[in-house]
């Protein structure tokens, strides 16, 4: 099932999500399937559960856009372990459609997370994958990429979004 994407302004995006404690259940498997489906439908390379309205520490990533099954990643209760180097590049978010900004991130990032069965694993990603690890983990702690840009640019986005809300064009 494809869930609609929750937009910037919804409080579910601003708070830390709950840890997942039950693994290997049919409910979790179905939810993960729905997350991938929702991410592909929205043409994203990553999706965090709060973005479809569930305050749980679950994110899915596929930087190949469904081209390469080996790129499908599930991060449950992820934590960033290591950040090395810097990269600067354009970043957007399915919850803030129509906007993109230059964001500085780590170039090589190691994440520790659990899989659908609850097994812990570590994975290191570079460039886009490193960016996705940071962006999606941020979501699970109530943080959006615009918290990494200048206050001036952030205010500009806020004001534009407020106008869209008033015009009924932000849903
Ligand atoms: Zn996002």
């Amino acid at each position: 099932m494809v869930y609609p994407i929750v937009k910037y302004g919804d409080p579910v995006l601003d708070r830390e999500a709950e840890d997942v404690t039950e693994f290997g259940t049919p409910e979790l498997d179905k939810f993960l399937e729905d997350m991938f489906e929702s991410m592909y439908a929205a043409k994203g390379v990553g999706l965090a559960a709060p973005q479809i309205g569930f305050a749980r520490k679950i994110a899915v990533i596929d930087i190949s856009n469904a081209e390469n099954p080996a790129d499908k990643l599930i991060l449950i209760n992820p934590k960033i372990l290591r950040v090395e180097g810097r990269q600067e590049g354009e970043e957007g978010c399915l919850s803030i459609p129509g906007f993109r900004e230059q964001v500085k991130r780590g170039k090589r990032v190691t994440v520790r997370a659990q899989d659908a069965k609850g097994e812990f694993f570590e994975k290191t990603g570079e460039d886009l994958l490193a960016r996705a690890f940071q962006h999606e983990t941020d979501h699970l702690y109530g943080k959006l990429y615009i918290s990494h840009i200048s206050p001036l640019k952030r205010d500009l986005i806020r004001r534009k979004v407020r106008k869209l809300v008033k015009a009924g064009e932000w849903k």
Side-chain angles (χ1 to χ4, degrees), residues 51 92-95 135-136 139 144-145:
Q51 292 184 277
C93 178
L94 293 176
S95 295
H135 182 112
E136 300 312 328
H139 267 302
L144 298 170
Y145 82 87

Side-chain angles (χ1 to χ4, degrees), residues 65-78:
N65 256 315
E67 293 289 318
N68 179 12
D71 282 339
K72 280 178 83 170
L73 276 175
I74 293 165
L75 302 179
I76 302 180
N77 303 329

Side-chain angles (χ1 to χ4, degrees), residues 3-7 12-13 35 46-54 93-96 135-136 139 144:
Y3 286 93
I5 306 290
V6 169
K7 298 285 191 319
V12 74
L13 296 175
M35 280 195 69
L47 183 73
Q51 292 184 277
I52 53 170
F54 293 85
C93 178
L94 293 176
S95 295
I96 319 176
H135 182 112
E136 300 312 328
H139 267 302
L144 298 170

Side-chain angles (χ1 to χ4, degrees), residues 36-133:
F36 277 108
E37 219 181 297
S38 304
M39 177 179 77
Y40 294 136
K43 303 206 183 324
V45 296
L47 183 73
Q51 292 184 277
I52 53 170
F54 293 85
R56 303 163 77 188
K57 284 207 182 88
I58 304 175
V60 296
I61 292 173
D62 183 354
I63 57 167
S64 81
N65 256 315
E67 293 289 318
N68 179 12
D71 282 339
K72 280 178 83 170
L73 276 175
I74 293 165
L75 302 179
I76 302 180
N77 303 329
K79 284 196 172 78
I80 302 291
L81 284 190
R82 260 190 317 279
V83 178
E84 297 160 275
R86 300 292 281 168
Q87 60 169 319
E88 188 168 354
E90 226 183 42
E91 198 165 316
C93 178
L94 293 176
S95 295
I96 319 176
F99 297 92
R100 294 185 77 79
E101 290 292 339
Q102 292 289 318
V103 182
K104 289 194 184 87
R105 298 280 194 183
K107 180 158 179 63
R108 192 178 152 87
V109 172
T110 303
V111 72
R112 177 176 158 85
Q114 282 163 283
D115 65 15
K117 299 266 179 276
E119 297 292 328
F120 283 93
F121 66 94
E122 284 181 21
K123 190 159 173 73
T124 300
E126 286 186 23
D127 301 320
L128 180 57
L129 186 55
R131 188 175 286 281
F133 283 165

